[in-house]
Amino acid sequence: MTVLVTGGAGYIGSHAVQRLLRDGERVVALDNEFRGHAKAMQLLSQAHPGKLTYVKADINDRTKVLATMDDHGVHTVMHFAALAYVGESVSQPLNYYHNNVSGLISVLAACDAARVPVQKFVFSSSCATYGQPPANMIPVPETCPQSPVSPYGWTKLHGEHILRDFAAARANAGNPIALTMLRYFNVAGSDHTGLIGEDHTPETHMIPVVLQAALGLRSEVGIFGTDYPTPDGTCIRDYVHVEDLIDAHVLAMAKVKPGTPAAYNVGIGKGYSVREIIDATRKVTDRQFKIVEQPRRPGDPPMLYNDSRKISSELGWKAKFTDLHEIIGTAWRWFQKHPQGYRS
Ligand code: UDP
């Protein structure tokens, strides 16, 4: 049995590939290298000789996706391949719908057309599907109304609806699929061994931006909004370590039953403010950098953190990394060794 990891050369996908290889699974990773890194695949292949197949292809190339499934006897798909910048989705909505929605349909069509139809599917969804949750829904449970405020959030919500209909059709046809939708909060940190890590161009995420400033690669860090209704006036987010996130995928793959689609939030259940991220980064790195208070970034909800009760009671998931310093520490080790990402 082989697991297909779409977007396998990306930040989160490559951590999934690494974990599955460590667990002894056969893995085929597929990536179009638009934002993924062939170098990550090379490093993981070297670390696990003969266990990883890497296919450079776009998920919208249905023929190639189907051939990959048939060639390798794919039983499970972890679908990470997507565009994932909220701001970019506002200026390039069609690109986002093409990659994230049409791309998903292409992969699902291949799942059905495969010689042995795919039996398990784990989908990367997002807390962006909730938009701005009402104050009485924070921490955010899975029952929170889903009302995205960005094209990116909509692509993920459309994805969830498509998947539910797909799973229902499969069940009606007597071939139920085990479907899990994982709604990620803010993913952070790097592989604890330091082999692979986070390398985005452009980099806009809070923790990598602050670490780049600590390395002197940026002259300053902007705080986007200091007048939010939060204790220190800056936005609060739930930062889940990438290895804990992947643990949720592995548990979903093992535990979710065919025919009953499941959705879980993945976040540690604790929020940290932008100022807390900056303070913790100063402590971890022992470096100083310039901070500039800036206006709010459009579309940023003041406070988002997870109610993790459902995933912990139903899947037995528990974050191993709950200390912000530790999470930032794993990312710092990677950035120190690879200030230019995979190019260095
Ligand atoms: N943020 C910031 N400065 C930056 C990048 C991010 O103040 O240079 C804030 C952003 O406004 C948000 C939080 O940090 O409140 C997390 O942003 P990120 O882009 O990492 O993730 P998002 O929550 O948008 O998915």
Side-chain angles (χ1 to χ4, degrees):
M1 282 191 318
T2 303
V3 183
L4 170 64
V5 180
T6 70
Y11 165 48
I12 301 174
S14 60
H15 283 83
V17 170
Q18 182 183 51
R19 167 66 190 272
L20 292 166
L21 291 170
R22 275 188 194 137
D23 288 356
E25 305 280 357
R26 276 204 310 262
V27 183
V28 51
L30 186 139
D31 201 290
N32 65 4
E33 292 178 24
F34 176 58
R35 287 191 170 134
H37 301 279
K39 179 76 180 176
M41 298 291 88
Q42 195 190 324
L43 291 167
L44 289 171
S45 286
Q46 283 164 0
H48 301 271
K51 299 288 184 207
L52 170 64
T53 304
Y54 175 52
V55 177
K56 183 181 174 191
D58 194 285
I59 47 170
N60 271 302
D61 184 348
R62 195 178 298 186
T63 311
K64 195 78 177 271
V65 175
L66 177 58
T68 302
M69 288 174 178
D70 281 340
D71 288 350
H72 298 276
V74 169
H75 176 271
T76 298
V77 173
M78 289 192 183
H79 182 56
F80 297 95
L83 295 175
Y85 291 115
V86 169
E88 188 179 67
S89 78
V90 176
S91 56
Q92 302 176 21
L94 298 184
N95 240 345
Y96 272 68
Y97 284 104
H98 178 68
N99 273 275
N100 298 3
V101 180
S102 303
L104 171 66
I105 293 169
S106 165
V107 173
L108 291 177
C111 286
D112 261 0
R115 218 170 295 128
V116 179
V118 167
Q119 296 301 306
K120 297 186 186 192
F121 198 96
V122 185
F123 177 62
S124 307
S125 188
S126 169
C127 69
T129 59
Y130 296 118
Q132 169 61 78
N136 65 347
M137 287 265 180
I138 294 171
V140 186
E142 287 80 355
T143 49
C144 180
Q146 288 176 290
S147 180
V149 292
S150 69
Y152 169 70
W154 278 111
T155 66
K156 291 295 174 182
L157 186 54
H158 287 312
E160 289 197 10
H161 290 159
I162 290 165
L163 279 159
R164 284 183 196 280
D165 289 343
F166 176 81
R170 268 288 193 91
N172 290 337
N175 186 14
I177 189 164
L179 165 64
T180 316
M181 296 165 284
L182 296 177
R183 299 176 187 151
Y184 308 169
F185 281 67
N186 292 54
V187 186
S190 289
D191 147 42
H192 68 274
T193 68
L195 184 67
I196 57 170
E198 187 166 13
D199 177 1
H200 291 122
T201 307
E203 187 53 80
T204 62
H205 295 112
M206 186 64 206
I207 292 176
V209 161
V210 183
L211 291 174
Q212 287 175 348
L215 281 170
L217 300 172
R218 285 174 191 262
S219 54
E220 59 191 41
V221 175
I223 299 184
F224 300 153
T226 53
D227 58 350
Y228 283 101
T230 59
D232 69 17
T234 66
C235 284
I236 291 178
R237 293 287 180 277
D238 182 327
Y239 295 87
V240 57
H241 193 272
V242 64
E243 291 186 325
D244 281 327
L245 175 75
I246 300 307
D247 203 35
H249 290 69
V250 170
L251 286 167
M253 185 171 81
K255 294 194 173 179
V256 171
K257 301 268 175 282
T260 44
Y264 297 103
N265 290 343
V266 196
I268 65 174
K270 186 169 173 8
Y272 292 101
S273 74
V274 170
R275 287 196 202 279
E276 284 175 311
I277 297 291
I278 289 168
D279 290 347
T281 306
R282 285 195 163 131
K283 224 180 242 160
V284 168
T285 62
D286 200 20
R287 307 239 177 135
Q288 289 304 318
F289 41 87
K290 190 175 161 201
I291 297 301
V292 183
E293 295 188 2
Q294 293 180 358
R296 293 181 179 196
R297 186 172 70 175
D300 268 342
M303 189 174 344
L304 273 180
Y305 61 93
N306 184 29
D307 177 339
S308 50
R309 280 176 298 182
K310 185 179 178 200
I311 190 165
S312 62
S313 73
E314 293 186 12
L315 294 186
W317 180 84
K318 195 166 179 287
K320 293 181 187 73
F321 291 87
T322 50
D323 179 70
L324 185 58
H325 298 85
E326 232 188 300
I327 294 174
I328 294 174
T330 64
W332 177 231
R333 277 197 295 281
W334 161 260
F335 276 95
Q336 274 181 300
K337 247 171 86 187
H338 303 277
Q340 306 297 334
Y342 285 102
R343 279 167 293 138
S344 54

